[in-house]
Structure formats: structure tokens, C-alpha cells
Amino acid sequence: MDGADRISRTRMRGLGLWDPKQPSPHAVVVQLTAMQSQEHAFARWSVAQRVAGGADATSVDRAFDEGHILRTHVLRPTWHYVSRTDLRWLMALSGPRILARTARRRGDLGLDDRTLSKANDLIADKVAGEPQTRRDLADALEHNRVSVDGQRLAYIVMHAELTGVICSGPMRGKQHTYAAFDERVAPGRAINDDEAIAKLTRRYFSTRGPATLRDFVWWSGLSTADARRGIDMAATHLSSRSIDGRTCWFREMTAPRVGHRVDLVQCYDEAIISYSESRDVLQTAQVDFAVPGYRDGYTHVVLLDGRLAGHWRPVLRKSGWTVETRIRQPLDRVDQRALDTAIKRYSTFRENSTTDAEQEDSQ
């Protein structure tokens, strides 16, 4: 087994895709701390396939609507699922950092501190006691002479999230809503930056290791200096090893020996998006990219024994949801049966969905 195989197989178990043990969608999100949810409809699949025994879309939707799983901007300026028990400390850590990174764009849009403070007050009043859709928030802002033209609305709402005014509320039909942060997020003991960085570091390398410092910097949104400090503080909980010329940190190297295992993962799954420097361990001689950017929908990833084998897209037919694939390497009969089983698992998940959420602004 080469270094890439050892890394990818260890990750598949740590990330909960192999031998999932979490009893509920909420427990999955707690285990992984944050899961990129840029496309809500597909991010639900990332949660469901990590529940022990599997889960359908309805159970994930229920956890989301009840507020056990929240969707907001955290770590990086994009959407993530976070547990209501973790969001408070994560937002305290990453909110100021994301605001600093996006300050120039807010300035370009004419969103000064006075305007954003007024917008926060208006949004807080609007969501008090009842979740509101993005359109509801836009109407309230426009009514009070706060322009939401162009990208201004996206950055106004993101600012309200990052400053602890709002987070996700329950779905309203096919539309997302926003709710008051303090009404949805569990109270918790305040922790300082060092405690939060150490905690985030332990969780990242325990679930996503082996991974490098640069991988962690990408995923966490921390500076390189903060990430190094996190590794130093978490060092007693982690091990390190040079693998193919890179220093990798991890809790343990399990590298389970499986064969003919196929997993269908969405293009922003944590198995892909958690890494920058070492994402290339997914590559094989036949497939050397993770997300090809096809415009015909083949953006999601087929993993064979933890490595790239091709891409897939969901298709709705008269008989229900199914999956079409573009496999870039030969499959034997056992591999093909594993692929068929994976497709059936996804189809069952999708068919049991009570709703398919509209795509939100990906900002």
C-alpha cells in the first residue's frame, strides 16, 4: 500500500464515510465540527451517508429544521453546517477573521460601519420571534432606505451572521429562512482564542488526518502562525510523520484494508474540500482531478477504495431519482456491483426527501 493509499483510507474512516458510527445527523456534524454546505440539497447527502445504518433526507431535514444543525458562514466566507452546541465558540474565533478578509469588498460596495450597524438593527428587529426569508430581510432593509442592490444584500446578511445577529432558521417550503442567533444557538462557556484554536486543531487532525499544516490553514481560515500555534498546543493529542516528503499530522493511522468499496460523494464533501496541499492523494493514474467543472452536471465524485474513479450526477426519471456516472477506469464485476449498491443508496436517500431546497446565494 503506497503513501497515498494509506492517507486516503485513513481519512475515509476518520471522516466517517467508512464504518460510520454516529447515531444521528446532529452527531455527524458534531464529529466533523463544520461541513461545507454550499449546496444545501447535496450537503444533506454528506451528512446522511455518515450516519450508522444510513439516514434518509427527511431525518436530516428534521435535524436542520429543529435547529440541531445550523447553516451559516463560518471558518471561510462560505456556507457550513455546524452544530448548535459549537457555533458560538466557532463564530467567536472565525467571525472577526472572515470580516477582516472581506472588508475590502464591503468597502467597494459602500457598506460602511454605520450602514452595517443600521442593517444589523433592522435585521434583528425583523427576525425577533419569527424566522424570515432573505426576501423578507431585503424588503425590510429597502423599506428603511438601506439599498440591497447587487451583492450588497449578500454581504449585509453575511455581516449579520458573522456578528452574531442571525443564523439559519427552518425551511419555509423550499426557501431558507434566518432566525435570531441567540434563539437558535445553545448557550456556552466563553473560551479564549488559544483554547478555541487548540480545540479546532485537535478536531481537524483527529477526523481529517493525515493532513498537513497548509491543509489546516486552508480549511480553518486561520493564519499560518495561528495554525502552527494550534499544532503546538494540540501536539500531545497528535502524531506526525513524513509521508511522501510532507509532514502530516494525525491522531492515528488506521489505513483499513478494504476492497471494491464505492462511495458517491458530492463535490464539496469534506473528503475533498478539507484539503489543499494534499488533496492530490485522491488522484490515480486514470483520474487526476477532483472537480472538473463540467457544465452538464458531472461535478460530483466517485471514489473507489478511497481514490478517484470518476464523476456522477443525479437524474430524475419517471421511476424516481437515479445516478449517471462517468467512470475513468475499468471496473470489474465486483466493482460494478459496489457502484450499483452506492447508486441505490443515493436514490433511496433522495426519494425519501420531503423537500428539495432552492439553491441559496453561494457567497
Side-chain angles (χ1 to χ4, degrees):
M1 186 183 299
D2 65 18
D5 270 333
R6 288 180 62 83
I7 291 173
S8 61
R9 293 185 182 203
T10 298
R11 288 176 179 176
M12 292 295 282
R13 177 163 287 176
L15 285 162
L17 282 166
W18 291 358
D19 191 23
K21 298 183 183 302
Q22 300 307 318
S24 67
H26 175 242
V28 168
V29 178
V30 171
Q31 179 191 24
L32 294 182
T33 306
M35 301 175 67
Q36 186 162 327
S37 58
Q38 194 159 335
E39 296 186 5
H40 177 64
F42 292 106
R44 298 177 305 159
W45 167 238
S46 286
V47 175
Q49 65 191 136
R50 289 170 163 87
V51 176
D56 60 25
T58 300
S59 64
V60 181
D61 292 341
R62 185 182 307 114
F64 183 80
D65 285 344
E66 292 176 354
H68 302 294
I69 298 171
L70 301 173
R71 181 174 180 260
T72 192
H73 288 83
V74 72
L75 299 185
R76 307 182 297 277
T78 192
W79 298 101
H80 283 82
Y81 289 150
V82 179
S83 163
R84 66 184 298 272
T85 58
D86 283 326
L87 182 54
R88 196 172 292 274
W89 69 267
L90 280 170
M91 191 62 80
L93 175 66
S94 65
R97 289 168 168 82
I98 300 174
L99 287 171
R101 289 173 61 183
T102 55
R104 176 177 293 183
R105 183 55 184 153
R106 290 195 305 277
D108 292 343
L109 293 169
L111 296 172
D112 57 24
D113 290 345
R114 182 177 179 181
T115 301
L116 290 168
S117 178
K118 178 180 180 181
N120 271 5
D121 290 342
L122 292 169
I123 289 171
D125 287 343
K126 186 67 176 176
V127 300
E130 183 177 356
Q132 304 290 325
T133 66
R134 181 177 288 241
R135 183 68 259 167
D136 294 332
L137 299 185
D139 290 344
L141 292 165
E142 289 278 18
H143 181 74
N144 288 277
R145 299 181 181 179
V146 177
S147 171
V148 296
D149 290 344
Q151 289 189 321
R152 281 172 63 96
L153 179 61
Y155 279 88
I156 288 171
V157 173
M158 192 197 310
H159 180 268
E161 291 176 295
L162 296 171
T163 52
V165 175
I166 56 173
C167 62
S168 65
M171 298 296 295
R172 184 186 296 173
K174 293 187 176 183
Q175 297 185 65
H176 287 272
T177 68
Y178 294 89
F181 186 93
D182 287 335
E183 292 178 7
R184 298 281 276 185
V185 181
R189 178 182 68 87
I191 61 176
N192 62 36
D193 252 24
D194 276 357
E195 289 179 284
I197 289 171
K199 187 174 185 176
L200 190 65
T201 305
R202 289 194 304 271
R203 289 200 183 183
Y204 174 81
F205 287 105
S206 294
T207 55
R208 294 163 172 86
T212 68
L213 170 67
R214 285 175 59 188
D215 291 329
F216 180 48
V217 168
W218 151 252
W219 179 84
S220 66
L222 297 173
S223 68
T224 299
D226 282 343
R228 287 187 189 278
R229 194 165 81 255
I231 290 175
D232 288 342
M233 291 186 289
T236 57
H237 301 273
L238 303 172
S239 300
S240 66
R241 183 182 302 174
S242 178
I243 305 174
D244 295 338
R246 296 168 176 161
T247 300
C248 294
W249 295 85
F250 51 90
R251 184 179 61 187
E252 59 181 347
M253 285 280 282
T254 56
R257 291 187 176 275
V258 300
H260 310 288
R261 165 77 191 221
V262 173
D263 293 276
L264 303 180
V265 299
Q266 56 110 358
C267 62
Y268 296 111
D269 190 272
E270 292 297 306
I272 298 169
I273 209 67
S274 293
Y275 311 96
S276 57
E277 181 180 23
S278 69
R279 188 182 299 176
D280 59 1
V281 303
L282 290 171
Q283 296 176 179
T284 64
Q286 293 82 15
V287 190
D288 60 357
F289 47 80
V291 183
Y294 290 143
R295 294 184 179 181
D296 53 1
Y298 287 94
T299 56
H300 305 296
V301 174
V302 181
L303 299 178
L304 174 61
D305 296 337
R307 306 286 297 278
L308 281 165
H311 296 85
W312 64 275
R313 68 177 183 180
V315 177
L316 180 60
R317 295 177 177 160
K318 289 183 179 179
S319 58
W321 285 99
T322 188
V323 166
E324 293 179 347
T325 61
R326 283 181 177 163
I327 304 299
R328 303 293 292 265
Q329 65 185 70
L331 298 182
D332 62 26
R333 276 186 283 183
V334 179
D335 290 338
Q336 184 61 54
R337 285 200 297 271
L339 175 60
D340 293 343
T341 298
I343 290 172
K344 183 177 180 180
R345 189 181 304 121
Y346 178 79
S347 299
T348 300
F349 161 83
R350 196 70 182 263
E351 287 168 4
N352 288 336
S353 175
T354 57
T355 181
D356 273 317
E358 292 180 349
Q359 177 65 36
E360 280 285 314
D361 188 328
S362 62
Q363 184 65 38

